[in-house]
Amino acid sequence: TTRGQTVYAIAMGRPAANATWVISSLKGSTPDAVTLLGHDGSLDWRATPEGLEIAVPAQLAGHSAWVFRLEGL
Protein backbone atom coordinates (compact mmCIF):
# COMPACT_ATOMS: atom_id res chain seq x y z
CA THR A 1 0.00 0.00 0.00
CA THR A 2 1.27 3.50 -0.76
CA ARG A 3 0.41 7.01 0.29
CA GLY A 4 2.47 9.74 -1.32
CA GLN A 5 6.15 8.82 -0.85
CA THR A 6 5.33 6.37 1.95
CA VAL A 7 4.99 2.63 1.40
CA TYR A 8 3.36 0.32 3.93
CA ALA A 9 4.64 -3.27 3.79
CA ILE A 10 2.91 -6.12 5.61
CA ALA A 11 4.93 -9.06 6.91
CA MET A 12 3.01 -12.27 7.60
CA GLY A 13 4.18 -15.05 9.92
CA ARG A 14 6.27 -14.72 13.07
CA PRO A 15 10.01 -14.65 12.28
CA ALA A 16 12.63 -16.52 14.29
CA ALA A 17 14.58 -14.65 16.98
CA ASN A 18 17.62 -12.81 15.60
CA ALA A 19 16.25 -13.12 12.07
CA THR A 20 15.73 -10.46 9.43
CA TRP A 21 12.87 -9.60 7.15
CA VAL A 22 13.97 -9.01 3.54
CA ILE A 23 11.69 -7.06 1.22
CA SER A 24 13.08 -8.14 -2.14
CA SER A 25 10.71 -5.91 -4.13
CA LEU A 26 12.67 -2.91 -2.76
CA LYS A 27 15.92 -4.02 -4.38
CA GLY A 28 17.77 -0.85 -5.42
CA SER A 29 15.64 1.41 -3.19
CA THR A 30 16.74 3.10 0.02
CA PRO A 31 14.02 4.68 2.17
CA ASP A 32 14.68 7.73 4.33
CA ALA A 33 13.14 6.03 7.39
CA VAL A 34 11.79 2.61 8.39
CA THR A 35 9.40 2.15 11.31
CA LEU A 36 7.34 -0.76 12.59
CA LEU A 37 3.82 0.29 13.53
CA GLY A 38 3.13 -0.37 17.21
CA HIS A 39 6.85 -0.66 18.07
CA ASP A 40 8.34 2.10 20.23
CA GLY A 41 12.02 1.49 19.53
CA SER A 42 14.14 2.11 16.49
CA LEU A 43 14.86 -0.59 13.91
CA ASP A 44 18.14 -1.72 12.44
CA TRP A 45 17.81 -1.88 8.67
CA ARG A 46 19.92 -1.60 5.53
CA ALA A 47 19.56 -1.67 1.78
CA THR A 48 21.31 -4.71 0.29
CA PRO A 49 21.59 -6.17 -3.23
CA GLU A 50 18.86 -8.64 -2.16
CA GLY A 51 16.44 -5.91 -1.02
CA LEU A 52 15.63 -3.99 2.14
CA GLU A 53 16.81 -5.98 5.17
CA ILE A 54 15.13 -5.25 8.53
CA ALA A 55 16.34 -6.82 11.78
CA VAL A 56 13.62 -8.38 13.92
CA PRO A 57 13.35 -6.43 17.20
CA ALA A 58 13.96 -8.36 20.43
CA GLN A 59 10.54 -7.30 21.76
CA LEU A 60 8.05 -8.01 18.99
CA ALA A 61 4.37 -7.39 19.76
CA GLY A 62 1.70 -9.22 17.79
CA HIS A 63 1.32 -12.78 16.57
CA SER A 64 0.55 -12.98 12.87
CA ALA A 65 1.21 -9.76 10.92
CA TRP A 66 3.38 -6.64 11.19
CA VAL A 67 3.26 -3.39 9.22
CA PHE A 68 6.34 -1.38 8.25
CA ARG A 69 6.17 2.28 7.25
CA LEU A 70 8.86 3.02 4.66
CA GLU A 71 9.20 6.75 4.11
CA GLY A 72 10.82 8.61 1.24
CA LEU A 73 10.38 6.12 -1.58
Side-chain angles (χ1 to χ4, degrees), residues 8-44:
Y8 294 88
I10 301 168
M12 305 293 289
R14 189 166 193 75
N18 299 320
T20 57
W21 279 292
V22 177
I23 304 174
S24 58
S25 60
L26 293 176
K27 218 180 281 190
S29 299
T30 303
D32 294 332
V34 177
T35 54
L36 177 60
L37 301 185
H39 178 69
D40 292 331
S42 62
L43 296 176
D44 292 328

Side-chain angles (χ1 to χ4, degrees), residues 38-63:
H39 178 69
D40 292 331
S42 62
L43 296 176
D44 292 328
W45 60 273
R46 65 189 181 124
T48 70
E50 291 77 33
L52 182 66
E53 196 173 279
I54 305 169
V56 174
Q59 300 297 319
L60 185 61
H63 298 285

